[in-house]
Amino acid sequence: MAKKTILMLVGDFVEDYEVMVPFQMLLMAGHVVHAACPGKPAGDMVATAIHDFEGQQTYSEKRGHNFRLNAAFDELDENAYDALVIPGGRAPEYLRLNARVLEVVRHFAAADKPIAAICHGPQLLAAAGVLQDRACCAYPAVGPEVSGAGGSFVPANESFDNAHVDGNLVTAPAWPAHPAWMRAFLKVLGTQIVP
């Protein structure tokens, strides 16, 4: 397996599980992961939010842990990365307003580098205009954005644990899909996976 260098775009109130678990899983698999947030230096923190499914019509939200950044977004060179991960939560909602973030996302799509996005993460893909004629899974509330960006929305299954692969794009509806989402992304990265 060739070790990959992966960029993870995060921001305040990124979903706790959707940043912590993939970050740790990718490191465990032997990859290098740089987590960066616009306007924050390496070593700074982003606040996370815990989204849970407790029987209401939408998810609930609670304050999560702090997540330490290990890269400075303002100094990054997207050409140095092999793949991109976009967690969900509230962060994509405001990160998509940052022109440089959208430029970075477009780089990965144009270079056909692997991209993994989960939950509200596809909001960045839609805003960057990289979903045209692509199939993309996301949290149901993001479906209209996927469709509006020219993509084909792949709905969540009943237990929200499905992932979808369209070429080098690996997407999922929410953190219950981590096993399927990360397994598919690792496969796209060329990582050896136990069957």
Side-chain angles (χ1 to χ4, degrees):
M1 172 199 85
K3 177 168 44 174
K4 306 291 185 188
T5 303
I6 301 165
L7 175 63
M8 181 178 276
L9 289 176
V10 301
D12 281 319
F13 297 103
V14 61
E15 209 289 325
D16 192 278
Y17 293 166
E18 293 170 6
V19 67
M20 302 275 189
V21 174
F23 184 83
Q24 293 168 345
M25 289 174 80
L26 291 166
L27 290 175
M28 181 201 67
H31 299 296
V32 174
V33 186
H34 291 164
C37 173
K40 294 194 180 197
D44 204 350
M45 304 277 196
V46 291
T48 72
I50 296 170
H51 290 169
D52 208 351
F53 308 100
E54 300 176 299
Q56 292 84 15
Q57 292 181 332
T58 189
Y59 57 86
S60 64
E61 184 173 70
K62 302 165 187 69
R63 176 70 163 89
H65 300 89
N66 288 327
F67 177 77
R68 186 176 305 279
L69 304 168
N70 64 353
F73 179 84
D74 298 338
E75 299 170 9
L76 74 83
D77 173 9
E78 56 269 39
N79 294 295
Y81 293 95
D82 301 304
L84 174 65
V85 175
I86 307 172
R90 296 177 80 61
E93 176 182 276
Y94 81 90
L95 290 177
R96 64 186 166 165
L97 304 176
N98 183 306
R100 177 70 177 123
V101 168
L102 299 182
E103 180 182 294
V104 168
V105 172
R106 288 184 192 113
H107 163 81
F108 284 90
D112 201 28
K113 295 180 181 181
I115 298 174
I118 191 166
C119 199
H120 286 72
Q123 287 182 313
L124 288 184
L125 303 175
V130 301
L131 289 179
Q132 184 69 43
D133 300 322
R134 303 294 301 266
C136 178
C137 191
Y139 190 73
V142 182
E145 290 177 65
V146 170
S147 299
S152 173
F153 178 65
V154 177
N157 65 16
E158 188 175 313
S159 52
F160 277 68
D161 62 359
N162 58 305
H164 185 78
V165 179
D166 181 344
N168 280 349
L169 177 62
V170 183
T171 53
W175 57 259
H178 276 151
W181 182 55
M182 279 290 103
R183 177 177 288 277
F185 187 54
L186 288 168
K187 186 174 179 183
V188 167
L189 290 174
T191 306
Q192 181 68 32
I193 303 169
V194 177

